[in-house]
């Protein structure tokens, strides 16, 4: 890997607070490009244009991701004075349609929670923890990584808000519903019985915290017991359900952007795929001219 490329990765880590998985993905994409056209700091526009043929058999989303990594690198190289030109325009720009997120129906959510609440009645710490995790995923729209790494100190005492550290180390406040607060109180009452009582994490596991992989597994297993297709259940699907169901209830898109921790409103706009019939009914019921005609 070239010195400029390494410096770019170090910048991502130091200035943008990029996570290790993100850095690894950038490294793979940049190293792959350098294997094809050489040192990116010295690659010509013609060299960069050759990548289109090399990436021809890749999925459009993969090409878009690789191109994004290189565009950011070239911009950085120009800013640092390592290049006089930015050859990014020579990169292929596949047009990809962003897929709509998978969501759960209200009935599916009720079945999932019904099963979790039934199992929590056993008083077993694992079942109570499961309910608390579920309540925070769907009730507060947390990312899986944000949820499992919550420190014990983040649990609200009086204010119904939770402090979350999101992507890039950005902190935000998210609401905690009454149901979630009750589930958290039940979990805290038995948390010491689950081991790692001295851990600083809300959901401790093996001297650290519950992993995202284990959270994923727990939800799949719960879905199966609830009679739902496990393939349609994941932490991210519950986050999608949180966002979509709030929009259906009339939530403002800007408010939703804040709750989800999106830096760009365009990311939040993917959730505007609400039922067309509901929107028509809303216009007919709320528009001034519609009311005047009735």
């Amino acid at each position: 890997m070239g010195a400029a490329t390494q410096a770019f990765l170090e910048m991502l880590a130091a200035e943008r607070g990029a996570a290790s998985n993100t850095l690894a993905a950038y490294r793979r994409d940049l190293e792959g490009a350098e294997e094809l056209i050489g040192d990116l700091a010295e690659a010509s526009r013609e060299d960069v244009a050759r990548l289109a043929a090399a990436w021809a058999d890749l999925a459009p989303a993969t090409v878009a991701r690789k191109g994004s990594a290189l565009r950011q690198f070239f911009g950085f190289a120009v800013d640092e004075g390592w290049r006089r030109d930015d050859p990014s325009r020579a990169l292929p720009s596949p047009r990809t349609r962003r897929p709509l997120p998978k969501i759960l129906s209200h009935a599916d959510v009720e079945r999932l929670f019904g099963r979790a609440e039934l199992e929590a009645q056993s008083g077993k710490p694992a079942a109570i923890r499961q309910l608390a995790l579920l309540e925070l995923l769907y009730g507060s729209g947390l990312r899986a990584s944000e949820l499992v790494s919550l420190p014990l100190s983040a649990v609200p005492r009086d204010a119904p808000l939770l402090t979350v550290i999101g992507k890039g180390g950005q902190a935000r406040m998210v609401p905690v519903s009454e149901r979630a607060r009750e589930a958290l109180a039940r979990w805290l009452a038995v948390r010491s019985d689950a081991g790692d009582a001295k851990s600083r994490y809300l959901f401790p596991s093996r001297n650290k915290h519950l992993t995202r992989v284990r959270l994923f597994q727990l939800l799949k297993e719960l879905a199966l017991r609830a009679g739902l297709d496990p393939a349609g259940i994941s932490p991210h699907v519950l986050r999608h359900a949180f966002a979509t169901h709030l929009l259906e209830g009339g939530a403002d898109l800007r408010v939703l952007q804040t709750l989800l921790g999106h830096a760009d409103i365009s990311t939040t706009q993917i959730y505007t795929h609400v039922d067309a019939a509901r929107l028509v009914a809303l216009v007919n019921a709320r528009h001034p001219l519609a009311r005047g005609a009735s």
Side-chain angles (χ1 to χ4, degrees):
M1 173 174 285
T5 313
Q6 183 61 43
F8 171 68
L9 293 173
E10 292 172 357
M11 181 277 294
L12 290 179
E15 297 182 16
R16 299 187 190 177
S20 57
N21 289 343
T22 301
L23 290 172
Y26 273 99
R27 181 181 293 276
R28 285 193 299 271
D29 288 338
L30 296 175
E31 286 181 340
E34 288 193 333
E35 290 175 1
L36 295 169
I37 63 175
D39 190 343
L40 295 178
E42 300 177 0
S44 67
R45 184 183 179 89
E46 291 72 23
D47 291 332
V48 174
R50 296 205 317 268
L51 291 172
W55 295 347
D57 295 331
L58 300 178
T62 302
V63 175
R65 189 200 69 232
K66 289 178 177 291
S68 175
L70 265 66
R71 287 186 183 88
Q72 292 184 64
F73 167 78
F74 287 132
F76 173 74
V78 170
D79 290 342
E80 293 295 316
W82 295 331
R83 294 189 62 106
R84 293 183 178 180
D85 66 319
D86 183 347
S88 294
R89 292 196 176 188
L91 288 166
S93 300
R95 292 188 176 182
T96 60
R97 290 187 64 187
R98 191 171 184 181
L100 292 177
K102 295 179 181 179
I103 59 170
L104 293 174
S105 68
H106 292 277
D108 289 341
V109 170
E110 289 177 3
R111 289 181 67 180
L112 197 65
F113 271 89
R115 182 68 195 189
E117 290 165 353
L118 178 65
E119 294 180 2
Q121 291 175 10
S122 68
K124 295 180 180 178
I128 295 174
R129 181 187 66 175
Q130 175 181 260
L131 181 60
L133 290 166
L134 192 62
E135 288 283 1
L136 288 173
L137 280 172
Y138 178 68
S140 299
L142 300 184
R143 298 181 178 92
S145 57
E146 295 170 346
L147 175 58
V148 296
S149 62
L150 278 174
L152 188 59
S153 58
V155 179
R157 295 185 179 180
D158 299 318
L161 296 170
L162 193 69
T163 301
V164 178
I165 305 300
K167 288 186 175 180
Q170 296 296 314
R172 72 180 190 280
M173 303 292 286
V174 298
V176 181
S177 68
E178 285 296 328
R179 287 170 50 109
R181 293 181 72 179
E182 291 174 5
L184 281 173
R186 292 175 65 184
W187 165 239
L188 291 175
V190 299
R191 178 175 170 274
S192 59
D193 298 333
D196 297 323
K198 295 182 180 180
S199 172
R200 69 184 187 89
Y201 294 106
L202 178 58
F203 300 106
S205 178
R206 298 180 181 178
N207 299 320
K208 199 176 179 185
H209 58 68
L210 188 73
T211 66
R212 290 185 299 172
V213 172
R214 184 56 185 148
L215 175 62
F216 189 94
Q217 293 170 340
L218 289 172
L219 287 177
K220 297 285 185 184
E221 293 165 2
L222 175 62
L224 194 61
R225 295 194 299 272
L228 298 172
D229 181 4
I233 307 293
S234 72
H236 215 56
V237 168
L238 283 164
R239 176 172 158 89
H240 289 325
F242 161 82
T244 304
H245 294 166
L246 274 182
L247 275 180
E248 289 177 352
D252 180 82
L253 200 62
R254 286 289 182 183
V255 172
L256 190 59
Q257 177 190 4
T258 301
L259 293 177
L260 293 173
H262 289 162
D264 192 329
I265 189 67
S266 64
T267 306
T268 317
Q269 286 172 339
I270 191 66
Y271 294 103
T272 57
H273 64 295
V274 293
D275 183 21
R278 187 191 69 83
L279 291 177
V280 171
L282 178 65
V283 170
N284 289 337
R286 300 294 181 85
H287 195 279
L289 292 180
R291 290 201 300 271
S294 59

